[in-house]
Amino acid sequence: MQNKNFVPFTDEMKKDYKILVPNMLPMHFKLIISLMKNYGYDMELLETNGPEIAETGLRYTHNDTCYPAVLIIGQFMDALLSGKYDPHKTALIMFQTGGGCRASNYISLIRKALKKAGMDYVPVISLNFSGIEKHPGFRISFKKLHQLMYAVLYGDILMNLVNQVRPFEINAGDAERLASYWIDKLGAELSISGHVNQERAKYNYRKIVDSFKNIPVAQKDVIKVGIVGEIFVKYSPLGNNGLESFIIREGGQSVVPGLMDFLLYTVCNMLMEYKFYKRSLLKHLIVKPIYKLLNSMRKQISDALCKDNAFEALTPFDDVVHMADGLISQAVQMGEGWLLTAEMVELANSGCKNIVCTQPFGCLPNHICGKGMMKPIKEICPDVNIVAIDYDPGASRVNQENRLKLMLANAKKESTVVAKTDAKNVTQTFYYNIAVSGLC
């Protein structure tokens, strides 16, 4: 049954409408916007920030609504009310997975907010691959989808490299400036050619990695901090109060799983549906080669990163799938589901012992698969340090940052103790070797 507030985005609208995009992954979304411009879509990424965004969101939706929804609605309404855009020539777009969480209701909540503001004529496009809604003027063909995957991969490798270089750069801002250069360059390539192939992408990966290797860096000890959690607050600086920048300022290094991991998770879940719930065998057979293709595309990034031991490679996703075996079943697929637990174990196993689990207050799936799994994870990884941080309009930023500072202080103290213990062991070994050799 079609939503009574549904306004389709038509072919006519495509000619002169601007489509506003909420800010979750700036690097990735800028590349996607560049690609879509090649198909005639005038899209703009909203990069507004500050407490007024949440305040605007709360004026147009209930305060018990999922925090990411409050921020997204706040960004949209702030833009439409700013006078910068003509509401009669503006559309909004929202990415949906169609999963069993409150995120699947965002589109309805956005339309209710528009109706409350007297703008229910503004189209809200649902970008999804579940057939939730269809818009005549906005279709995703197989060719577009293939190109979108490369935009995601470019975003992932740039995000990964910035995170690996930024804590060590001699000239502050070098990594982000280089990433901006590549976003412009790759965006223009995607926009002009409208075509991406595997060989061209592999060439670009090598050139990107080589350029980051040339950034002047200093050797120093930093504390690695993994960031996991609900997809919006994990990635969005608006949603997590600039978490990555805060970690850098405090002398840490952020480690964030890529967006392709989440896409592989959603595809993997389709395969698991047949295994656990005996869903369509035909769907299983169709999805299986798609999973293999995406996995091989992700591996190309990893190969480029670790060439010449320049940067740390990605853990193979097939290994990530089984990281949480014995802790949580792959049948748990609500929200970030089993992936959230698996990512925490993967970070711990790869040497990132300090983890921030970001979650919107009241997000039941992520509290179960994230905060609820902290104790079992610590039982198998006793040296891991996990801090769960709730984000919502009433949460104190100061309290959030104080908890993070305490985690980092404990991590630094622990690393100092380990370093002293190692030094003591080296000294004892030195004197033992002298005694054995008969020199004393």
Side-chain angles (χ1 to χ4, degrees):
M1 182 177 177
Q2 193 68 65
N3 189 306
K4 62 181 180 179
N5 295 322
F6 176 76
V7 178
F9 185 82
T10 65
D11 287 319
E12 287 298 315
M13 292 177 177
K14 181 180 175 181
K15 298 175 183 177
D16 55 1
Y17 267 59
K18 181 178 287 291
I19 303 174
L20 301 182
V21 183
N23 189 10
M24 184 174 78
L25 284 145
M27 293 184 192
H28 297 70
F29 282 14
K30 285 176 182 177
L31 288 164
I32 290 171
I33 286 170
S34 295
L35 170 62
M36 297 308 289
K37 282 181 179 179
N38 181 64
Y39 291 99
Y41 297 103
D42 181 10
M43 304 177 78
E44 181 177 328
L45 181 67
L46 296 174
E47 298 188 83
T48 45
N49 211 327
E52 63 274 10
I53 298 300
E55 291 168 7
T56 302
L58 289 171
R59 285 202 296 270
Y60 290 95
T61 191
H62 195 274
N63 63 357
D64 199 32
T65 300
C66 187
Y67 184 50
V70 171
L71 295 178
I72 290 167
I73 291 170
Q75 270 201 320
F76 281 149
M77 298 311 301
D78 178 74
L80 291 171
L81 296 169
S82 67
K84 182 180 177 181
Y85 309 95
D86 178 2
H88 293 276
K89 294 292 181 182
T90 304
L92 312 177
I93 190 168
M94 182 64 205
F95 300 87
Q96 282 187 293
T97 62
C101 78
R102 289 185 289 181
S104 295
N105 297 316
Y106 285 9
I107 296 291
S108 296
L109 293 171
I110 294 167
R111 288 182 178 138
K112 285 182 180 179
L114 290 169
K115 186 175 182 180
K116 187 175 181 179
M119 299 181 188
D120 49 346
Y121 50 82
V122 175
V124 183
I125 303 167
S126 170
L127 178 56
N128 67 86
F129 308 108
S130 306
I132 298 174
E133 288 183 350
K134 296 181 180 178
H135 293 265
F138 197 94
R139 300 184 183 92
I140 300 295
S141 64
F142 178 78
K143 180 181 178 182
K144 287 180 190 174
L145 183 59
H146 184 247
Q147 293 166 351
L148 282 169
M149 291 303 102
Y150 278 108
V152 169
L153 290 163
Y154 285 144
D156 275 359
I157 194 169
L158 288 171
M159 181 177 73
N160 192 295
L161 286 165
V162 168
N163 285 337
Q164 291 198 48
V165 172
R166 188 165 52 170
F168 307 98
E169 59 190 7
I170 293 173
N171 304 310
D174 273 359
E176 290 187 319
R177 282 189 291 270
L178 184 56
S180 296
Y181 162 80
W182 278 109
I183 288 169
D184 292 340
K185 182 177 176 61
L186 296 169
E189 182 178 296
L190 289 168
S191 179
I192 294 170
S193 66
H195 178 72
V196 177
N197 59 57
Q198 188 177 101
E199 290 307 312
R200 180 64 188 177
K202 288 168 70 175
Y203 171 80
N204 284 334
Y205 299 153
R206 291 194 298 270
K207 298 298 286 184
I208 292 169
V209 171
D210 288 343
S211 66
F212 274 86
K213 284 164 60 177
N214 291 327
I215 292 178
V217 294
Q219 296 299 318
K220 59 181 178 179
D221 293 329
V222 297
I223 302 297
K224 287 186 176 181
V225 181
I227 302 176
V228 299
E230 189 273 335
I231 189 169
F232 186 85
V233 294
K234 173 169 70 173
Y235 289 127
S236 173
L238 174 63
N240 59 37
N241 292 329
L243 177 58
E244 289 187 59
S245 297
F246 175 80
I247 290 171
I248 294 296
R249 291 198 303 272
E250 293 297 315
Q253 175 187 351
S254 56
V255 183
V256 190
L259 180 59
M260 180 54 75
D261 290 36
F262 182 81
L263 297 180
L264 276 164
Y265 158 74
T266 59
V267 176
C268 185
N269 282 347
M270 297 179 192
L271 298 176
M272 296 298 176
E273 285 177 0
Y274 177 75
K275 176 182 177 180
F276 291 107
Y277 307 118
K278 303 304 177 186
R279 298 281 175 85
S280 169
L281 175 60
L282 178 61
K283 179 181 178 181
H284 177 84
L285 295 174
I286 293 172
V287 170
K288 197 169 184 178
I290 295 174
Y291 174 79
K292 289 183 177 179
L293 174 63
L294 295 179
N295 219 347
S296 66
M297 293 168 76
R298 179 183 181 273
K299 185 177 183 298
Q300 291 168 7
I301 288 181
S302 185
D303 291 343
L305 285 169
C306 66
K307 186 181 179 183
D308 303 324
N309 295 318
F311 298 100
E312 293 181 15
L314 307 177
T315 301
F317 192 77
D318 285 336
D319 293 346
V320 175
V321 172
H322 297 288
M323 287 285 181
D325 285 355
L327 297 176
I328 192 170
S329 169
Q330 285 95 9
V332 181
Q333 300 178 358
M334 296 300 163
E336 279 61 42
W338 58 265
L339 178 67
L340 179 48
T341 307
E343 284 182 340
M344 289 193 283
V345 177
E346 187 276 328
L347 285 167
N349 289 344
S350 63
C352 185
K353 302 297 184 180
N354 302 283
I355 301 169
V356 180
C357 185
T358 64
Q359 46 202 13
F361 178 77
C363 180
L364 185 59
N366 283 284
H367 274 72
I368 292 171
C369 303
K371 191 173 184 178
M373 297 305 297
M374 287 167 55
K375 183 178 178 181
I377 290 172
K378 287 181 179 180
E379 288 176 355
I380 63 171
C381 304
D383 56 346
V384 72
N385 183 17
I386 308 173
V387 175
I389 304 290
D390 284 354
Y391 292 88
D392 72 279
S396 167
R397 181 168 184 163
V398 173
N399 287 343
Q400 292 169 349
E401 293 184 349
N402 283 342
R403 292 187 65 196
L404 292 167
K405 286 180 179 179
L406 179 61
M407 181 193 76
L408 289 167
N410 288 335
K412 290 175 183 176
K413 181 180 178 181
E414 184 65 26
S415 65
T416 302
V417 171
V418 171
K420 287 181 178 178
T421 303
D422 289 345
K424 182 179 179 182
N425 290 339
V426 169
T427 304
Q428 290 174 341
T429 303
F430 173 74
Y431 284 114
Y432 173 77
N433 289 337
I434 291 177
V436 170
S437 65
L439 296 177
C440 65

